[in-house]
Amino acid sequence: MKLTPVEYYRKVFSLLEQHHRWFQESIPLIASENVPSPAVREAIISDFGNRYAEGFPKERVYAGCRFIDEVEILCMEMARRLFDAEYADVRPVSGVNANIAVYTAFTQPNDIMMSLSIAAGGHISFGKKQFSGTAGSVKNLEVEYFPFNYEDMNIDVEATKEKILGRVKTNQPLPKLVMFGGSVLPFPHPVKELAKLFHDYGMTICYDAAHVAGLIAGGQFQDPLKEGADVMTISTHKTLFGPQGGAILSKEMYAETLKKAVFPATVSNHHLHHVAGKAVAFAEMLEFGKDYAEQVVENAQTLAKELYSRGFNVLGRKNGFTRSHVLIVDVSEIAYGSEIERRLEDSNIILNRNLLPYDIKYGRHYDTTGGIRIGVQECTRLGMKAEEMKQIAEFIQRVVLRNEDPEHIRAEVADFRRRFQKVHYAFETATEAYKYIRVRS
Ligand SMILES: *Cc1c(COP(=O)(O)O)cnc(C)c1O
């Protein structure tokens, strides 16, 4: 049935408002999401979003950028402070966009890049051409995987050394770029342990901190730039407080190369309302980041222990399950990850399926994953602590292990959520976190 224009128009707003109500009553556990403060939301509906400012502040090829330049300069300054970096570029419009800029700066087509496979926690932007991954499809890079240790849930340092030195001995080409980091990153990666070897053989080291940027800024995770990474890419909206976006941090010596790799190579206009949003989010992070990041890691560890003690196979037990915001649970003995994802969604508990490092070996793929991924950063921002983690573990247990009626759970979840409607770790906290902001009269 075709709708009339005004029906389409009304329908869109009705769906938006329903979405807001749903999230007010749900438990948000997707590891790549967060809730911005009302202040960030105000910045992103400003007129900045309707302007063009190609180039770098004070070097624009457009007029009308007087205030935009000032905001972008403040934003870059705060990014450098947060990550103790010499250069910050806040223009990439997403984490993938930031990675493409880094590939552009440091590689040529057909070069080799080393990164984690997607099953082992890598991201599609590291992916091979045969899987339509970004590195392969967009930059024609050959991707070599890091050897991975399932029990440690981490890169295998010795096997990586052997892999590189084996290639040296047999005169095979070496990677030009090494990409640490990933989308399932419970433990710090061995940047310190491997940086010297990679540098000795002329490789550039990037660390993709899309997921853990807020924990790094809060001083609660490894500091890749101090440990030997040359450059770091981030998303601004996962553990950080920002609107969706990306950024690049590096040493000064790469500034000119990266600047050109962003504009004109891979970004035209750079979503200036989101630059304003990033600036507000970075100010919040400078002020509240340490307390927030500490609570995130504590909550993740608490939730992992609570799930484990209720019979869930949380991976990484040997190393205390997690040192970041994320945990990964092997549910393959219970049902497919996709099935569990759906049952939990019916109960208003929102998380996502995830491949386990050994899923491919068992013939499992995206529709049949053996795992689910859980992130606690958004719940932490809503003010939740140990007691709430325990309650969330119990809800998950009742849905997944006891098959309780989703309708009952939904009502209890809504009740549980009622006390957590405000954003914490922000300068202003009066407006509700998921309030639908109406601008129409
Ligand atoms: C989420 C993610 C990205 C992509 O970020 P977007 O902002 O969604 O483009 C890049 N790398 C890793 C490791 C990620 O998890």
Side-chain angles (χ1 to χ4, degrees):
M1 270 302 279
K2 273 198 185 158
L3 304 179
T4 65
V6 72
E7 284 168 343
Y8 282 121
Y9 174 89
R10 291 204 182 110
K11 178 102 192 174
V12 170
F13 287 111
S14 148
L15 291 167
L16 286 170
E17 292 193 38
Q18 286 176 60
H19 173 89
H20 275 254
R21 273 199 298 279
W22 188 26
F23 271 72
Q24 279 166 349
E25 297 179 346
S26 301
I27 299 176
L29 293 171
I30 300 224
S32 58
E33 298 178 352
N34 215 323
V35 59
S37 64
V40 167
R41 294 173 68 203
E42 179 176 324
I44 66 182
I45 57 170
S46 71
D47 182 65
F48 272 28
N50 313 313
R51 302 299 142 206
Y52 260 76
E54 283 179 345
F56 211 66
K58 310 286 185 196
E59 303 168 15
R60 307 291 195 196
V61 292
Y62 280 83
C65 300
R66 186 179 301 156
F67 300 107
I68 292 167
D69 278 8
E70 296 301 322
V71 170
E72 191 165 323
I73 288 167
L74 294 175
C75 188
M76 292 190 295
E77 184 178 313
M78 286 187 281
R80 290 194 303 266
R81 273 178 68 176
L82 276 175
F83 297 102
D84 201 3
E86 289 164 1
Y87 177 71
D89 199 316
V90 297
R91 294 172 299 171
V93 297
S94 72
V96 169
N97 186 199
N99 283 348
I100 292 174
V102 165
Y103 302 160
T104 303
F106 298 111
T107 68
Q108 297 296 323
N110 305 314
D111 278 351
I112 301 171
M113 177 176 92
M114 188 138 112
S115 60
L116 277 182
S117 74
I118 291 172
H123 184 255
I124 43 167
S125 57
F126 311 165
K128 298 186 183 198
K129 191 168 194 157
Q130 71 203 87
F131 306 126
S132 303
T134 311
S137 310
V138 178
K139 303 305 295 187
N140 255 306
L141 297 177
E142 294 290 330
V143 179
E144 277 289 333
Y145 296 141
F146 273 114
F148 192 78
N149 181 315
Y150 301 157
E151 213 183 314
D152 288 337
M153 282 298 282
N154 211 331
I155 291 166
D156 186 326
V157 174
E158 289 313 311
T160 302
K161 287 183 182 165
E162 277 166 34
K163 186 164 181 165
I164 297 294
L165 295 172
R167 294 181 85 96
V168 172
K169 274 203 200 97
T170 51
N171 273 324
Q172 287 172 276
L174 291 172
K176 282 279 173 355
L177 177 66
V178 177
M179 187 64 120
F180 283 103
S183 305
V184 177
L185 193 50
F187 302 110
H189 273 171
V191 180
K192 259 199 318 276
E193 291 80 351
L194 290 166
K196 182 169 184 314
L197 175 76
F198 293 146
H199 280 150
D200 282 350
Y201 289 101
M203 304 172 210
T204 302
I205 302 175
C206 180
Y207 187 106
D208 181 336
H211 265 266
V212 290
L215 306 180
I216 294 172
Q220 300 303 311
F221 206 66
Q222 70 187 137
D223 185 344
L225 294 173
K226 289 281 155 337
E227 293 173 18
D230 301 298
V231 53
M232 180 164 87
T233 54
I234 64 171
S235 293
T236 49
H237 51 272
K238 295 183 179 179
T239 50
L240 281 174
F241 296 156
Q244 293 187 332
I248 304 175
L249 294 308
S250 78
K251 301 179 176 152
E252 184 61 32
M253 62 189 288
Y254 302 112
E256 278 309 308
T257 310
L258 285 166
K259 206 169 138 184
K260 290 198 202 87
V262 173
F263 176 84
T266 56
V267 179
S268 157
N269 191 39
H270 54 281
H271 303 187
L272 308 165
H273 52 324
H274 283 201
V275 171
K278 289 171 191 176
V280 174
F282 290 166
E284 292 172 343
M285 203 69 203
L286 280 169
E287 180 76 13
F288 306 103
K290 184 169 179 293
D291 289 347
Y292 157 77
E294 273 174 12
Q295 191 65 51
V296 167
V297 176
E298 198 181 310
N299 281 351
Q301 290 173 346
T302 305
L303 183 59
K305 279 185 213 129
E306 292 291 336
L307 286 169
Y308 185 78
S309 71
R310 286 169 165 77
F312 283 97
N313 183 10
V314 186
L315 299 188
R317 181 160 71 100
K318 186 180 152 199
N319 298 312
F321 303 113
T322 183
R323 283 168 62 191
S324 71
H325 63 302
V326 74
L327 35 140
I328 190 106
V329 186
D330 180 339
V331 292
S332 60
E333 310 248 296
I334 309 164
Y336 291 139
S338 45
E339 160 73 14
I340 302 223
E341 173 190 291
R342 195 187 49 72
R343 266 156 59 187
L344 286 165
E345 191 194 65
D346 282 347
S347 312
N348 283 1
I349 298 167
I350 316 253
L351 50 71
N352 71 318
R353 72 189 78 172
N354 213 94
L355 285 172
L356 301 173
Y358 39 84
D359 268 355
I360 305 296
K361 201 167 74 185
Y362 293 116
R364 294 193 288 249
H365 53 83
Y366 256 96
D367 289 328
T368 58
T369 63
I372 53 170
R373 185 181 68 163
I374 305 179
V376 300
Q377 67 295 335
E378 187 165 348
C379 284
T380 305
R381 193 143 202 233
L382 291 170
M384 295 188 196
K385 300 202 160 119
E387 192 48 40
E388 287 73 41
M389 294 302 115
K390 206 165 161 177
Q391 289 194 43
I392 290 172
E394 199 176 305
F395 282 131
I396 295 175
Q397 176 189 29
R398 288 168 59 194
V399 175
V400 176
L401 299 180
R402 299 206 191 126
N403 280 310
E404 281 190 38
D405 180 9
E407 208 171 320
H408 285 155
I409 306 278
R410 265 205 308 274
E412 287 186 45
V413 164
D415 202 42
F416 165 75
R417 265 304 307 279
R418 215 152 281 148
R419 285 179 297 129
F420 300 96
Q421 290 298 333
K422 300 280 173 65
V423 161
H424 290 60
Y425 312 101
F427 292 107
E428 286 171 80
T429 56
T431 308
E432 287 196 351
Y434 302 85
K435 181 183 160 67
Y436 181 78
I437 298 176
R438 191 177 163 122
V439 181
R440 290 166 300 147
S441 54

